[in-house]
Amino acid sequence: MTGPLRSLLVGYEGSERGDDAIALARALLTVADAEATVVVATVHDGEQPPAATVDRARARWPQLDRSAFRLRRAPSPADGLHELAVELDADAIVVGASHRHGVGRVWPGSATERTLHGAPCAVAVAPPGYAAVGGDGRRLARIAVAFDGSESSARGLDQAVALAQRDGATVVLVNVVDVGIAPPLAFDLNTYLRERHGDARAVLARGAESVAARAAVEQRQIEGQPAPALVELSADFDLMAIGSRSRGAIRRTLLGEVTAQLVRRAACPVLVVPHAPA
């Protein structure tokens, strides 16, 4: 769905990455539906349930009822979270970034990336160290949207606006003019770039106009390669929404290259919004 978040599923595995996920879920709850529900799930594949992990999760969010904390046995964290998201009709799965060799990022094939790929709902990823900065009073005041006028980016925009309306946040539409694309033979580079910038301004203006009655909107147009440019810009925002690419008739998140790079490297949390069924 693209609308108020009514059900959050938090993946928790007993580490700082899980703490980051809980911190992001608490922030998202401030812009979610007033009666939104939360489930914190620990997925395991062993005979002995990791009770200590659940105890740590409860300590991180003592205000939640004990029934909100679940254990789920599944072959992998992604499988367990996907199954539970369907059962709960969750609007978003919230996870932390995968850790590897001391560097907190999401790498190809990691548990976080597998959770993202094919998820039945939106997925929000907290960057490394998110729980250590900002505390429980964190506000999502500036929400960026990677916007190019496509259907997937429009869904990202709709979701960002739905979140912004709950707490008066500002939505910032970001369009990257890709300077790495060679101009057609009939154009010189300067003319081509001027036209690309003009097209980008028109796209941003249409997007801003479509949501101006619902939320405070800003526009930002930058030049560069899309993924690195969005990653660099991410430090300016509290959350960045991006629509996943479309393929097939099933509503799932599907990672394109720009989305994958943004999730792996962004400084702020990233919300990946699934495409609409074909």
Side-chain angles (χ1 to χ4, degrees), residues 35-48:
E35 297 183 356
T37 60
V38 179
V39 168
V40 179
T42 296
V43 180
H44 66 98
D45 60 0
E47 294 292 337
Q48 297 297 322

Side-chain angles (χ1 to χ4, degrees), residues 31-184:
V31 293
D33 185 83
E35 297 183 356
T37 60
V38 179
V39 168
V40 179
T42 296
V43 180
H44 66 98
D45 60 0
E47 294 292 337
Q48 297 297 322
T53 300
V54 178
D55 290 341
R56 174 171 170 160
R58 287 174 177 152
R60 296 297 301 181
W61 205 338
Q63 296 87 349
L64 280 186
D65 188 84
R66 291 178 66 88
S67 63
F69 298 89
R70 308 272 187 93
L71 288 169
R72 181 75 173 205
R73 186 170 182 178
S76 72
D79 289 336
L81 291 175
H82 288 180
E83 292 168 2
L84 196 51
V86 172
E87 292 175 16
L88 297 171
D89 194 21
D91 293 324
I93 299 171
V94 187
V95 292
S98 300
H99 294 281
R100 187 182 193 184
H101 303 308
V103 179
R105 290 297 179 198
V106 179
W107 69 90
S110 69
T112 300
E113 187 153 291
R114 288 195 296 273
T115 300
L116 276 155
H117 204 59
C121 58
V123 180
V125 182
Y130 189 74
V133 180
D136 293 338
R138 191 190 307 270
R139 180 170 178 255
L140 303 180
R142 290 177 62 78
I143 303 174
V145 183
F147 189 78
D148 61 5
S150 64
E151 180 183 350
S152 61
S153 69
R155 289 181 66 79
L157 176 58
D158 284 344
Q159 185 63 76
V161 170
L163 298 179
Q165 287 178 305
R166 183 77 173 86
D167 195 34
T170 297
V171 175
V172 183
L173 281 72
V174 180
N175 186 286
V176 182
V177 177
D178 190 348
V179 296
I181 300 176

Side-chain angles (χ1 to χ4, degrees), residues 171-196:
V171 175
V172 183
L173 281 72
V174 180
N175 186 286
V176 182
V177 177
D178 190 348
V179 296
I181 300 176
L185 293 177
F187 288 82
D188 67 81
L189 181 59
N190 290 334
T191 301
Y192 179 65
L193 287 177
R194 280 197 301 271
E195 291 206 1
R196 292 289 305 281

Side-chain angles (χ1 to χ4, degrees), residues 144-147 173-176 220 222 224-237 240-242 258-259 261-262 265-268 270:
V145 183
F147 189 78
L173 281 72
V174 180
N175 186 286
V176 182
R220 189 174 297 191
I222 56 177
Q225 294 183 325
L230 289 170
V231 168
E232 183 175 357
L233 203 63
S234 65
D236 295 343
F237 301 105
M240 184 171 283
I242 188 166
V258 172
T259 304
Q261 289 193 47
L262 182 61
R265 299 167 52 202
C268 72
V270 176

Side-chain angles (χ1 to χ4, degrees), residues 236-257:
D236 295 343
F237 301 105
D238 302 303
L239 180 71
M240 184 171 283
I242 188 166
S244 73
R245 62 190 178 91
S246 176
R247 188 181 69 200
I250 300 176
R251 185 177 181 269
R252 297 273 170 170
T253 56
L254 297 168
L255 298 186
E257 185 56 34

